[in-house]
Amino acid sequence: MQTESLPVELRYWPIKRYRDIYKKSLDDIEEFWGQEARKLEWFRTWDKVLDWDLPFAKWFPGGMLNASYLCVDRHVKTWRRNKVAIYWEGEKGEERTLSYSQLYREVNRLAFALQKLGVKDGDRVAIYLPMIPELAIAMLATARIGAIHTVVFSGFSSIALADRINDTEAKVLITADGGFRRGKIIRLKELVDTALESTPSLEKVIIVKRTGQEIGMKEGRDLWYHEIIRDAETNVPPLPIESTHPLYILYTSGTTGKPKGIVHSTGGYLVYINSIYKWVFDIQEESVYWCTADVGWVTGHSSIVYAPLMHGASIVIHEGAPDYPKPDRWWEIIEKYKVTIFYTSPTAIRMFMRYGEEWPKKHDLESLTILGSVGESINPEAWMWYFKKIGGERCPIVDTWWQTETGGVMISPAPGIGLVPLKPGSATLPLPGIDAEVVDENGRPTSTGVRGYLIIKKPWPGMLMTLYRDPERYKQAYWSRFPNAFYTGDYCMMDEDEYFWLLGRADEVLKIAGHRMGTMELESAIVSHPAVAEAAVIGKPHEIKGETIVVFAILKQGYSPSEELKKDLTGHLRKIVGPVATPEQIYFVSKLPKTRSGKIMRRVLKALVSDKPIGDLTTLEDKASVEEAKRAYEEFKRIMTQ
Ligand code: ATP
Ligand code: MG
């Protein structure tokens, strides 16, 4: 924890203000969230703040509101009508800018067209689009008429798409002819056609013309987006929606297993993200907010579409890969649009560290005020690099811990209400209203510095309502492990200042000779070696020790694999973590198996080195990573048996 290298002013921001607000919020959560809810515009006030029938929460029942009204109509009534809502940057450098009034018009036209197609309140609409403005428009149009969207990341296969359409029984799909990635056309419509061979619920497909290549159109089913909105009316009244009506269904990333269909409410979810984006990102109407996640993940739902638009900020949407055509693509975009809040993942930061600081140095990044990180724990090295090279030692880093299930950030510094001293690698403290705790197997709070399970002891408005059509699994997965508490599935530790340190997935823990070690601790130690850019650590079953440590490491530019380096890494790990952390094997690879959202799929590596079936791979980003790991492992086995 390299706090000593932080500039003084970042170390001494006041903590008292946070503590006061936090304590008060938990004294009476209904009072607290009731106050927060008043910050939105409701068509009808709720009858009650919370109806809590553990584990089922109804937030603001009886209250009526509309997400698209809050994100668009509200601004159109003010000066913001002519301000930029969306800056879109295409992969080939194309630009599109939509003001709030233009966004209003587009949302209304599509809402009208959807209604004409017979989409009604409660119907499910699947969205499978590249990162183009129509993605946000489709979500808002669906919400406007009370339908429920399920966004499927456009990098997913036809099987993953069909699964999600079938699980939600979606009636309409909004997609595109294709998208661009690294200069190539991704033929989305072909994937759609394959998926729709096995989706009985689906009636209509709406296709945005993005790439313009020839595609097949199925008579009676397929419709061009631009044709159906051509004569559409631009004034569809936003339907008042009851607070507990689902806003969307979204599947988790699948890092630990088969994705789960998370259902989010309208009122609770919107109240929650409205408040936390103020606290965590200090978002203002003059902010230019850029979250680099895909809208296909919860980060994109909350951080690209709903929260920044509710706040009347300008958002940046970028289509394409982060390092294409050059490794300064992102820094160029920040400079171009004068981005003030930038939100990305540790995996992206580590990738840019590998490219070197000369790339961000080419650009003026002075507009930045706050930097965010999400998706995995950020190792202190990456934190410091981000802080210095991107934030110019000026911008606080908000390391935000949350999940698809939580709807919004739960543990994070909150500069919008008073920034606490930062510690690189720690998500710091829970947000107001979030009763987080770290407990042992038996649900008792762990002592300082002892790893345990992260749980949430009180309901919060952003929480999932259930798993789609599977309330039993919802109960089982989240509310049965510890009594009266939400189980996050993550390992965590609290330090002497009660700061939270996330230590990876609880089901990815290693059990070595009686010691239980989180993957995160070991990976962070390996990555602190100057030669290593990224690493995955897994436990391989072992007859005597229980498990042994196996490391897959990607080296930084300028380093090459050698037996000597392996020895050096082993020594490094033993020195930092202790002698018990002696790896049995270290493999050097050029890629790690990751989910499409950029998280390491340790379960895949674990299955591989344990000679077990690899399991669900629908969310795997790049099959070549598994092939490479497999080759490295096979080669090792061959040498060992010679
Ligand atoms: P699945 O539940 O299907 O395995 P997933 O957990 O990867 O998928 P998400 O909901 O996208 O799906 O990810 C949430 C998880 O990401 C958290 O539970 C945590 O493990 C990790 N995470 C997110 N943000 C942070 C952070 N700031 N620090 C540490 N871990 C984080
Ligand atoms: Mg999860």
Side-chain angles (χ1 to χ4, degrees):
M1 305 171 203
Q2 311 173 343
T3 36
E4 72 283 353
S5 48
L6 279 180
V8 172
E9 58 280 20
L10 276 192
R11 274 197 260 161
Y12 296 103
W13 266 318
I15 197 164
K16 186 173 177 311
R17 175 140 191 247
Y18 159 81
R19 297 249 189 244
D20 291 347
I21 297 173
Y22 184 67
K23 195 181 161 303
K24 199 159 171 274
S25 73
L26 291 187
D27 285 346
D28 186 346
I29 57 162
E30 293 191 33
E31 165 65 23
F32 178 74
W33 290 118
Q35 289 291 348
E36 292 302 311
R38 286 188 187 95
K39 295 176 182 166
L40 299 188
E41 219 179 294
W42 297 73
F43 300 139
R44 179 183 186 276
T45 309
W46 52 94
D47 299 322
K48 212 174 162 188
V49 171
L50 173 64
D51 184 346
W52 182 222
D53 179 11
L54 193 135
F56 297 97
K58 289 194 179 126
W59 282 93
F60 313 107
M64 306 289 266
L65 73 175
N66 184 289
S68 116
Y69 176 87
L70 290 170
C71 290
V72 189
D73 302 39
R74 218 165 31 149
H75 308 307
V76 173
K77 293 186 197 159
T78 72
W79 72 274
R80 286 188 294 274
R81 72 175 70 88
N82 293 323
K83 89 167 273 236
V84 173
I86 300 177
Y87 288 113
W88 176 78
E89 182 80 17
E91 192 185 64
K92 296 191 289 185
E94 314 103 295
E95 296 168 11
R96 250 171 95 188
T97 301
L98 273 93
S99 68
Y100 272 98
S101 341
Q102 285 169 319
L103 180 62
Y104 173 86
R105 235 178 7 249
E106 295 306 316
V107 169
N108 276 274
R109 291 163 87 187
L110 183 60
F112 181 84
L114 286 172
Q115 269 179 340
K116 270 196 98 172
L117 290 177
V119 178
K120 288 188 295 295
D121 184 4
D123 285 345
R124 273 81 56 214
V125 172
I127 302 174
Y128 183 60
L129 281 171
M131 289 284 279
I132 54 177
E134 282 74 13
L135 182 42
I137 294 166
M139 290 162 74
L140 294 167
T142 308
R144 192 169 189 85
I145 58 174
I148 302 165
H149 57 72
T150 186
V151 179
V152 182
F153 171 50
S154 66
F156 274 150
S157 64
S158 51
I159 300 171
L161 174 63
D163 275 356
R164 286 157 182 73
I165 291 175
N166 286 333
D167 206 46
T168 56
E169 293 183 297
K171 197 162 157 183
V172 169
L173 169 67
I174 306 176
T175 186
D177 50 356
F180 291 101
R181 184 108 178 147
R182 298 192 182 280
K184 287 203 206 92
I185 288 182
I186 311 287
R187 300 181 168 275
L188 279 187
K189 181 59 171 40
E190 282 175 17
L191 297 172
V192 166
D193 288 336
T194 310
L196 299 197
E197 283 166 13
S198 56
T199 52
S201 64
L202 206 95
E203 294 168 13
K204 297 281 176 203
V205 183
I206 301 172
I207 302 139
V208 179
K209 195 173 226 161
R210 165 71 187 113
T211 53
Q213 93 269 20
E214 275 290 307
I215 56 165
M217 295 287 277
K218 187 166 168 184
E219 191 64 49
R221 184 194 74 183
D222 297 353
L223 305 158
W224 283 108
Y225 185 103
H226 59 270
E227 284 176 6
I228 60 166
I229 63 163
R230 188 174 295 145
D231 299 317
E233 280 173 23
T234 56
N235 214 339
V236 177
L239 191 70
I241 306 291
E242 208 270 339
S243 177
T244 60
H245 182 286
L247 177 59
Y248 63 81
I249 303 166
L250 181 65
Y251 292 80
T252 58
S253 320
T255 310
T256 54
K258 197 172 155 43
K260 307 176 243 350
I262 307 294
V263 184
H264 277 295
S265 73
T266 303
Y269 171 77
L270 293 173
V271 166
Y272 189 63
I273 62 168
N274 185 63
S275 296
I276 60 165
Y277 279 76
K278 188 88 200 82
W279 302 338
V280 174
F281 294 100
D282 197 18
I283 195 165
Q284 319 275 346
E285 58 186 0
E286 51 269 36
S287 302
V288 181
Y289 190 106
W290 184 20
C291 164
T292 66
D294 194 282
V295 175
W297 313 119
V298 73
T299 311
H301 278 57
S302 301
S303 316
I304 299 178
V305 182
Y306 290 114
L309 294 180
M310 270 200 289
H311 282 282
S314 305
I315 58 171
V316 173
I317 299 182
H318 171 226
E319 175 201 45
D323 54 350
Y324 183 88
K326 292 213 193 86
D328 62 345
R329 183 70 174 124
W330 279 9
W331 320 129
E332 178 184 81
I333 294 175
I334 292 178
E335 180 174 17
K336 179 170 175 185
Y337 295 107
K338 301 281 172 279
V339 171
T340 61
I341 306 169
F342 180 65
Y343 194 24
T344 193
S345 65
T347 175
I349 297 162
R350 286 191 293 264
M351 180 181 84
F352 286 115
M353 275 173 85
R354 242 188 299 157
Y355 282 125
E357 62 184 275
E358 61 270 27
W359 295 99
K361 261 199 183 146
K362 289 184 208 274
H363 299 277
D364 175 3
L365 307 178
E366 283 288 316
S367 58
L368 291 170
T369 58
I370 290 181
L371 301 177
S373 169
V374 63
E376 287 195 289
S377 297
I378 176 162
N379 50 304
E381 278 65 34
W383 197 105
M384 287 310 298
W385 190 88
Y386 195 24
F387 180 69
K388 288 184 180 160
K389 311 295 176 198
I390 307 303
E393 307 196 19
R394 199 180 62 246
C395 311
I397 292 184
V398 291
D399 175 358
T400 62
W401 177 86
W402 55 303
Q403 311 179 301
T404 312
E405 291 86 341
T406 69
V409 179
M410 304 282 277
I411 304 178
S412 166
I417 39 173
L419 188 61
V420 299
L422 302 177
K423 299 189 191 191
S426 166
T428 73
L429 297 154
L431 295 178
I434 301 306
D435 195 0
E437 193 164 70
V438 180
V439 297
D440 66 14
E441 297 275 323
N442 304 312
R444 280 189 292 264
T446 52
S447 335
T448 303
V450 176
R451 184 189 332 99
Y453 304 94
L454 176 64
I455 61 167
I456 313 293
K457 296 193 301 181
K458 288 192 173 74
W460 68 100
M463 66 192 278
L464 73 166
M465 298 206 307
T466 187
L467 290 179
Y468 193 60
R469 292 205 176 132
D470 202 351
E472 245 341 280
R473 184 163 173 222
Y474 164 70
K475 250 192 217 168
Q476 269 303 319
Y478 305 107
W479 296 91
S480 63
R481 182 81 170 74
F482 298 102
N484 305 332
F486 173 82
Y487 174 52
T488 64
D490 282 346
Y491 255 140
C492 193
M493 180 197 87
M494 273 216 259
D495 71 9
E496 60 287 359
D497 298 318
E498 294 173 17
Y499 275 42
F500 287 68
W501 294 79
L502 276 302
L503 300 174
R505 318 295 179 121
D507 54 4
E508 284 177 345
V509 67
L510 278 70
K511 297 167 214 91
I512 299 151
H515 300 270
R516 293 168 72 81
M517 271 181 265
T519 48
M520 177 58 205
E521 296 166 80
L522 295 163
E523 285 164 10
S524 186
I526 288 267
V527 180
S528 69
H529 187 283
V532 181
E534 210 167 350
V537 171
I538 47 147
K540 176 180 175 172
H542 185 278
E543 275 173 26
I544 301 156
K545 296 183 187 163
E547 271 178 329
T548 57
I549 298 174
V550 176
V551 178
F552 286 82
I554 302 178
L555 295 178
K556 281 198 191 135
Q557 278 176 0
Y559 291 89
S560 45
S562 70
E563 284 308 311
E564 205 169 329
L565 184 55
K566 277 189 191 174
K567 271 197 205 116
D568 203 41
L569 284 177
T570 303
H572 180 76
L573 203 53
R574 288 171 59 99
K575 196 173 97 206
I576 296 189
V577 185
V580 64
T582 308
E584 182 201 274
Q585 188 53 24
I586 298 176
Y587 297 104
F588 296 116
V589 288
S590 65
K591 297 179 186 134
L592 291 169
K594 287 186 181 168
T595 59
R596 307 258 171 177
S597 60
K599 295 168 192 205
I600 301 171
M601 294 172 88
R602 296 177 192 81
R603 65 177 164 92
V604 171
L605 295 172
K606 186 170 172 127
L608 203 120
V609 302
S610 318
D611 298 304
K612 293 230 175 78
I614 286 178
D616 185 274
L617 280 186
T618 48
T619 72
L620 176 72
E621 158 124 285
D622 183 352
K623 286 206 174 66
S625 59
V626 179
E627 299 301 318
E628 191 188 1
K630 204 182 212 159
R631 270 198 307 277
Y633 173 60
E634 297 293 337
E635 175 65 12
F636 170 72
K637 274 207 297 199
R638 197 179 56 78
I639 296 168
M640 293 309 280
T641 51
Q642 258 172 11

